[in-house]
């Protein structure tokens, strides 16, 4: 049986196998520590019965007023544990925290336009593309991102999911 538990400092030495996926963003240690200290409820590990890290989700809460929301910073599952529903389970946990503990209006995330598997997963979970961010992912494999959103009960009319209608550049993103 899979266990969802809080991410710990020791997990930083175990997650390389999970992070080897080329579509998984890897950050510096300080970034992970910041999330563990500021938003520990949003940083969760899926662990197998034998103690293997199967995947993790990392997020935060941000915004102001009716833009107060949960944000998925990273979601990844090790290749050998895919197609077991772990991503769905971790996303449901993050959505529950955003909705019931933080009273957020929506959950958002950024995903590479080319990551068809992830885009389909998020659509199946009720997320819709709010806008495209031109060259959100920089570097050697520069690529546009979809900013996808799912409204929560604080947004019963789903206003926060209505598409913006035009692409934006990274400098136009809100800074919370």
């Amino acid at each position: 049986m899979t266990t969802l538990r809080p991410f710990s400092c020791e997990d930083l030495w175990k997650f390389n196998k999970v992070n080897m996926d080329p579509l998984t963003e890897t950050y510096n240690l300080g970034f992970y520590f910041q999330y563990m200290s500021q938003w520990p409820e949003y940083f969760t590990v899926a662990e197998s019965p034998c103690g293997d890290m199967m995947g993790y989700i990392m997020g935060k809460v941000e915004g102001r007023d009716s833009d107060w929301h949960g944000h998925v910073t990273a979601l990844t599952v090790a290749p050998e544990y895919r197609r077991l529903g772990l991503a769905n389970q971790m996303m449901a946990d993050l959505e529950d925290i955003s909705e019931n503990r933080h009273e957020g209006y929506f959950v958002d995330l950024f995903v590479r336009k080319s990551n068809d598997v992830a885009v389909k997963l998020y659509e199946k979970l009720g997320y819709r593309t709010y806008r495209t961010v031109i060259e959100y992912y920089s570097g050697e494999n520069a690529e546009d991102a979809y900013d996808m959103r799912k409204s929560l009960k604080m947004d019963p009319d789903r206003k926060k999911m209505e598409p913006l209608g035009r692409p934006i550049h990274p400098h136009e993103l809100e800074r919370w």
Side-chain angles (χ1 to χ4, degrees):
M1 172 144 192
T2 302
T3 301
L4 292 185
R5 64 163 178 78
F7 195 96
S8 70
C9 292
E10 292 82 26
D11 291 321
L12 291 169
W13 312 118
K14 298 182 199 174
F15 78 165
N16 282 345
K17 183 174 73 167
V18 177
N19 271 12
M20 295 306 286
D21 182 327
L23 294 174
T24 297
E25 296 296 319
T26 301
Y27 306 97
N28 64 51
L29 286 177
F31 193 81
Y32 294 105
F33 285 128
Q34 177 186 6
Y35 274 72
M36 278 189 283
S37 65
Q38 288 189 310
W39 305 285
E41 70 276 21
Y42 278 100
F43 206 166
T44 303
V45 169
E47 188 174 72
S48 75
C50 66
D52 288 343
M53 183 182 289
M54 302 166 78
Y56 68 87
I57 190 166
M58 180 170 70
K60 61 184 175 179
V61 64
E62 63 185 1
R64 289 184 291 279
D65 305 320
S66 66
D67 283 324
W68 183 245
H69 66 281
H71 174 74
V72 179
T73 303
L75 169 66
T76 190
V77 175
E80 63 270 29
Y81 295 111
R82 292 184 181 156
R83 311 211 49 77
L84 299 175
L86 295 175
N88 296 15
Q89 191 177 358
M90 290 187 287
M91 287 294 293
D93 186 56
L94 186 139
E95 291 167 9
D96 180 67
I97 291 165
S98 298
E99 184 167 63
N100 297 310
R101 195 179 308 178
H102 291 287
E103 298 181 341
Y105 285 76
F106 61 95
V107 173
D108 76 346
L109 56 90
F110 295 95
V111 62
R112 289 180 181 273
K113 282 179 67 171
S114 66
N115 192 345
D116 294 329
V117 172
V119 170
K120 286 179 180 145
L121 166 74
Y122 296 132
E123 288 175 343
K124 186 179 98 183
L125 295 175
Y127 287 79
R128 298 294 172 256
T129 301
Y130 171 66
R131 59 190 171 186
T132 299
V133 183
I134 299 167
E135 293 184 356
Y136 178 80
Y137 296 98
S138 59
E140 188 177 314
N141 298 318
E143 185 175 348
D144 296 350
Y146 290 133
D147 177 355
M148 299 185 79
R149 293 184 175 189
K150 179 179 181 177
S151 288
L152 302 174
K153 68 183 174 189
M154 291 292 289
D155 182 24
D157 297 327
R158 300 175 150 211
K159 295 263 187 229
K160 298 299 176 179
M161 286 178 64
E162 291 178 8
L164 183 60
R166 66 174 182 86
I168 66 165
H169 291 87
H171 71 270
E172 296 176 85
L173 289 167
E174 301 84 2
R175 301 287 180 221
W176 310 111

